[in-house]
Amino acid sequence: MAGPVTLSDVAREAGVSLATASRAINGSPTRTVGPELRARVLAAAERLRYSPDANAQAMARGRTTSVGLVVHDIADPYFSTIARGITHAAGRAGLQVILASTEQDPTREVEIVGLLRRQRARAIVIAGSRYDDPALTTGLRDALDEYLASGGTAAVVGQPVLGTDTVHAANAKGARALARALHARGYRDVAVLGGPAHPLTARERREGFVSELAALGAPVPDERVLFCGFDHEGGREAMTRVLASGSRPQLVFAVNDLVALGALAAVRAAGLVVPDDLALSGFDDITTLRDVVPGLTTVRIPLEHMGAEAMRLVLEPGGGAPRVVEVATETVLRDSTPALV
Amino acid sequence: MAGPVTLSDVAREAGVSLATASRAINGSPTRTVGPELRARVLAAAERLRYSPDANAQAMARGRTTSVGLVVHDIADPYFSTIARGITHAAGRAGLQVILASTEQDPTREVEIVGLLRRQRARAIVIAGSRYDDPALTTGLRDALDEYLASGGTAAVVGQPVLGTDTVHAANAKGARALARALHARGYRDVAVLGGPAHPLTARERREGFVSELAALGAPVPDERVLFCGFDHEGGREAMTRVLASGSRPQLVFAVNDLVALGALAAVRAAGLVVPDDLALSGFDDITTLRDVVPGLTTVRIPLEHMGAEAMRLVLEPGGGAPRVVEVATETVLRDSTPALV
DNA sequence: TTGTAGGCGTTATCAC
DNA sequence: GTGATAACGCCTACAA
């Protein structure tokens, strides 16, 4: 008797029609069921341990109850925090979250959107920086267009370059504010661990920081702006390069906290100490790092909130032009960048 | 023409039967399609931008292509790292991951399993400590039994108390080894931030550590073993209690890294310094914390691997008695617990 | 209020 | 190799 219990089984057991059983169990927008029959059906369902088949329901109703979430790496605190905001909002809306990871390969976003389209996901949230790469952008846009044409909605947590609704952190502004704050603390001689060239998030932060410093009369020489991986290893490697070049900046700005962490490792490996020998700043204000010693100066981004906002965009009507929600950042000065005397 | 393109549309466009179109596009275990017709069908599908409906396929085939992942909090590095192992393995197996969070409420695991059953998830991985609580355990076991009866497989990353396949970290052993190592470094006067009473993971670590220390002739007084939340805030609060009581242990052992981090915050707030005034140890060896200063002594658990193992258990036959995969830990001594002179 | 029957998009079982 | 035609499990006009 392991065979799955279907609604017909329940109907038969309760001595009612399939339709009545359906209405009693899953409700009906129009019809209603008499209390007595309803009770009989519910009892039968309980007795048979009936569990409605969500797939069948989805097919019959013409829409699923799942939303797709695309991340580059769910183990990265940046994405996992956004994911928390999303799962929470999804839960409240009675929706399932299908989690898909590109595993750091932006080209996979296209495949994943296709996958999510096949799943008939009701909505898709793509978390993660957009790229300064026309091929990537148009490829993804095409995939999204096909998805949207099939009736879904989509939002991006990143930059508004796909024509979709977008939640956009004020990276450039945040980086500028940080630059001003650090300049005010006396830093002049700085190096930038700038992340990869193409992700716009890295670029916004990098260029925002550099240009503001230039405006303040403390330009960063080009050779002091390094490109590197957007993660711990990238930071470690780039910082190693900086130190190997024999230069020792007063301050190192890393485009996110993980890069800063990698830089910290390299600094330690070189026998130097933050902030005594070198000041260090990150970006994101990852939760896990908020109480380490020395406190890491950074720019706070409300990641969880951004995830929730993306869900809101994707679930609410929307209508006209793509909506862009700008999210403010907050400069967080800590011990890793003490004021210079 | 926004209406979804179906396989019949493709068949008509290609001038073949529905059956042939299906076989050409999604293959068939038995029948095969002539090269010419196949080409026609594929061309038609391409032209129409056809995307097979995974839900319909699932229904027709009698099985879905999705696996459920249950976590307490996806933003917690512990779970997000496990999640990475799972999504990676799932991707390789061509499966979707449905991510569900209990939001720290163990009773919600039951609902979620029910939800996943409705989705006809092919497998479920429950990540997170099991509880020393018969009601919780039997409740979940019942839900799982119903799920398993409907043909799915399930595995737990935690303790083998549900009768399911389980990936179990050697928490007790790891805690014992850590205790020995720290004892060898000269620590005698220790306090334990023991996490909550009921989660077995906290208990295994707490009791393993305490009992080993006792065996070494350095018993921890009961009042020095504090219960607390299993997260940052729990550690902060408990450490504050310790310090407020006027006692100042040589060493504080926290049952996981987040608790240790919270403790660190409290220690700093009290104007003390780790490790000068107080040594500190955690558990898990969360990636993000590996390069902070001072390095946090901890016990490494191969979280990502454990996720992958859980997926393996859940996808491979299995057959007989519940399988239990014991995963070894590794003591990681860092600067937060220097050898006492 | 309840039941009948057609349809959702695919796969799979049959014949041809 | 190809094509009708039942399922699959449920919802929903429509009819009673």
Side-chain angles (χ1 to χ4, degrees), chain B residues 84-109:
Chain B
R84 169 148 86 183
I86 300 237
T87 54
H88 182 72
R92 290 178 56 100
L95 300 176
Q96 275 64 58
V97 173
I98 300 180
L99 173 65
S101 170
T102 65
E103 315 222 326
Q104 314 280 14
D105 178 1
T107 65
R108 289 209 52 204
E109 292 181 325

Side-chain angles (χ1 to χ4, degrees), chain A residues 236-300:
Chain A
R236 199 199 52 70
E237 174 274 321
M239 191 67 221
T240 303
R241 265 190 287 152
V242 170
L243 296 175
S245 77
S247 77
R248 184 141 323 159
Q250 291 177 305
L251 167 71
V252 171
F253 167 61
V255 287
N256 77 18
D257 288 350
L258 293 187
V259 172
L261 217 47
L264 185 60
V267 169
R268 287 176 72 192
L272 301 177
V273 173
V274 172
D276 302 354
D277 301 308
L278 200 75
L280 180 63
S281 168
F283 211 108
D284 282 345
D285 195 29
I286 284 176
T287 316
T288 319
L289 256 31
R290 288 186 186 168
D291 289 294
V292 300
V293 183
L296 181 65
T297 287
T298 188
V299 176
R300 177 169 302 179

Side-chain angles (χ1 to χ4, degrees), chain B residues 8-95:
Chain B
S8 335
D9 297 328
V10 175
R12 188 177 330 114
E13 171 86 4
V16 302
S17 77
L18 221 192
T20 299
S22 171
R23 295 193 272 250
I25 291 185
N26 298 307
S28 160
T30 154
R31 299 306 185 204
T32 165
V33 175
E36 182 193 345
L37 284 195
R38 158 193 314 294
R40 282 230 305 271
V41 172
L42 262 35
E46 176 62 32
R47 209 175 314 135
L48 267 38
R49 308 229 145 294
Y50 168 71
S51 167
D53 184 324
N55 278 290
Q57 293 183 314
M59 203 163 91
R61 295 203 251 249
R63 63 201 152 75
T64 69
T65 173
S66 52
V67 303
L69 169 59
V70 188
V71 300
H72 282 320
D73 177 7
I74 190 61
D76 183 326
Y78 181 88
F79 293 106
S80 68
T81 308
I82 291 176
R84 169 148 86 183
I86 300 237
T87 54
H88 182 72
R92 290 178 56 100
L95 300 176

Side-chain angles (χ1 to χ4, degrees), chain A residues 2-5 49-59 64-65 69 73-77 80-81 83-84 87-89 96-101 103-104 114-120 146 149-150 232 258 261-262 264-265 268 286-295 335, chain B residues 2-5 49-59 64-65 69 73-77 80-81 83-84 87-89 96-101 103-104 114-120 146 149-150 232 258 261-262 264-265 268 286-295 335:
Chain A
V5 179
R49 309 227 145 294
Y50 169 71
S51 166
D53 184 325
N55 278 291
Q57 293 183 314
M59 201 159 91
T64 69
T65 172
L69 170 60
D73 177 7
I74 190 60
D76 183 326
S80 67
T81 308
R84 168 147 86 185
T87 54
H88 183 72
Q96 275 64 58
V97 173
I98 300 180
L99 173 66
S101 171
E103 315 221 327
Q104 314 280 13
L115 198 90
L116 260 15
R117 172 154 90 112
R118 283 211 288 281
Q119 300 293 329
R120 300 296 187 262
E146 290 185 4
S150 71
H232 183 281
L258 293 187
L261 217 47
L264 185 60
R268 287 176 72 192
I286 284 176
T287 316
T288 319
L289 256 31
R290 288 186 186 168
D291 289 294
V292 300
V293 183
D335 297 342
Chain B
V5 179
R49 308 229 145 294
Y50 168 71
S51 167
D53 184 324
N55 278 290
Q57 293 183 314
M59 203 163 91
T64 69
T65 173
L69 169 59
D73 177 7
I74 190 61
D76 183 326
S80 68
T81 308
R84 169 148 86 183
T87 54
H88 182 72
Q96 275 64 58
V97 173
I98 300 180
L99 173 65
S101 170
E103 315 222 326
Q104 314 280 14
L115 196 89
L116 261 14
R117 174 153 89 113
R118 284 211 287 284
Q119 299 292 330
R120 299 297 186 264
E146 290 185 5
S150 71
H232 183 280
L258 294 187
L261 218 46
L264 185 59
R268 287 176 72 194
I286 283 176
T287 315
T288 318
L289 255 31
R290 289 186 186 167
D291 289 295
V292 301
V293 183
D335 297 341

